[in-house]
């Protein structure tokens, strides 16, 4: 019995069933080596992590200060805290500080204890703000902020400007990549292997750590003297992981 040829087919219907197994065999022959190569590339790899650290001058002071008011009634202390805080914010704006923002508004009862009995004796309101200022201006500005109404210096830290941090991040990444490559070269040399290519790159981190807070004081205690403020340096760290085939 003769099978009918498929429409558009250039092969006789009788030969089609003979050709299909051959085509599948050829396809399998080409695919299997490719899969083996990919498997070999995944198994024969070395992973190394390099670290880079770049130091840049901290030219900005990150300051947190506030106003704390205590009184008999909640309305009284809240209104006074708002009035003084407005005066402090107006002063800071006049000094063209950067990244000025409110960081906290609190109103809490003040308790006293007599014969193990708790009583509310008043209220305390606290408003805090943070901002950035060039380090060399920070001491004078803190003194003037106290005169404007601030009663607390909650903290001060030192950071580099955004442009300097971006440049330091790029340099730290470059150093981390070179460090990873040097580690890999040392391992391959010791084992007598020959590296082929980098098959994976992972950037783990490229940012400065949170700056520490060094100063906390009651503003009234430093108002009579010029407050010394000395900046320092900021480190930017980066790590890069390379996966290299061999």
């Amino acid at each position: 019995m003769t099978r009918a040829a498929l429409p558009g087919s250039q092969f006789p219907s009788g030969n089609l069933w003979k050709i299909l197994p051959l085509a599948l065999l050829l396809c399998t022959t080409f695919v299997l080596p490719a899969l083996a190569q990919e498997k070999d590339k995944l198994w024969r790899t070395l992973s190394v992590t390099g670290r880079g650290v770049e130091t840049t001058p901290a030219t900005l002071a990150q300051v947190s200060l506030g106003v704390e008011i205590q009184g008999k009634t909640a309305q009284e202390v809240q209104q006074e805290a708002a009035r003084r805080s407005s005066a402090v914010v107006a002063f800071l704006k006049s000094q063209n500080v950067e990244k000025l923002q409110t960081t906290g508004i609190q109103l809490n009862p003040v308790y006293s204890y007599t014969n193990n009995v708790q009583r509310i004796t008043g209220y305390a309101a606290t408003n805090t703000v943070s901002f950035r200022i060039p380090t060399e201006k920070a001491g004078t500005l803190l003194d003037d902020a106290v005169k404007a109404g601030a009663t607390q210096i909650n903290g001060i830290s030192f950071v580099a400007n955004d442009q300097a941090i971006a440049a330091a991040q790029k340099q730290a990444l470059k150093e981390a990549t070179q460090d990873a490559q040097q580690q890999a070269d040392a391992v391959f040399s010791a084992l007598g292997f020959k590296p082929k290519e980098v098959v994976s790159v992972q950037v783990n981190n490229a940012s400065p750590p949170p700056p520490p807070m060094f100063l906390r004081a009651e503003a009234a205690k430093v108002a009579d003297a010029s407050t010394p403020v000395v900046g320092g340096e900021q480190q930017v760290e980066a790590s890069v992981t390379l996966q290299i085939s061999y």
Side-chain angles (χ1 to χ4, degrees), residues 31-45:
V31 170
L32 287 179
L35 292 175
Q37 291 175 3
E38 288 298 321
K39 182 178 179 181
D40 185 61
K41 183 183 294 186
L42 289 175
W43 280 103
R44 291 179 58 86
T45 59

Side-chain angles (χ1 to χ4, degrees), residues 37 46 48 55 62 70 79 93 129 154 182 187 201 208 240:
Q37 291 175 3
L46 170 70
V48 288
T55 300
Q62 178 78 38
Q70 293 189 9
Q79 289 179 346
K93 288 182 177 179
V129 297
N154 298 318
Q182 290 170 1
V187 172
V201 179
V240 173

Side-chain angles (χ1 to χ4, degrees), residues 180-199:
Q181 187 67 65
Q182 290 170 1
Q183 291 183 53
D185 291 342
V187 172
F188 285 131
S189 177
L191 296 176
F193 294 152
K194 185 177 181 180
K196 293 181 179 179
E197 61 179 338
V198 177
V199 297

Side-chain angles (χ1 to χ4, degrees), residues 30 40 47 49 52 61 66-67 70 86-87 92 95 108 118 126 131 143 145 148 151-153 159 174 177 188 240 245:
F30 286 112
D40 185 61
S47 294
T49 298
V67 172
Q70 293 189 9
S86 296
L92 294 175
Q95 301 301 303
N108 299 308
Q118 176 180 289
T126 305
F131 58 91
D143 298 335
T151 61
Q152 290 183 335
I153 300 172
V159 296
K174 182 178 180 180
T177 304
F188 285 131
V240 173
S245 63

Side-chain angles (χ1 to χ4, degrees), residues 46-63:
L46 170 70
S47 294
V48 288
T49 298
R51 179 172 177 266
V53 179
E54 187 68 12
T55 300
T56 185
T59 57
L60 297 174
Q62 178 78 38
V63 181

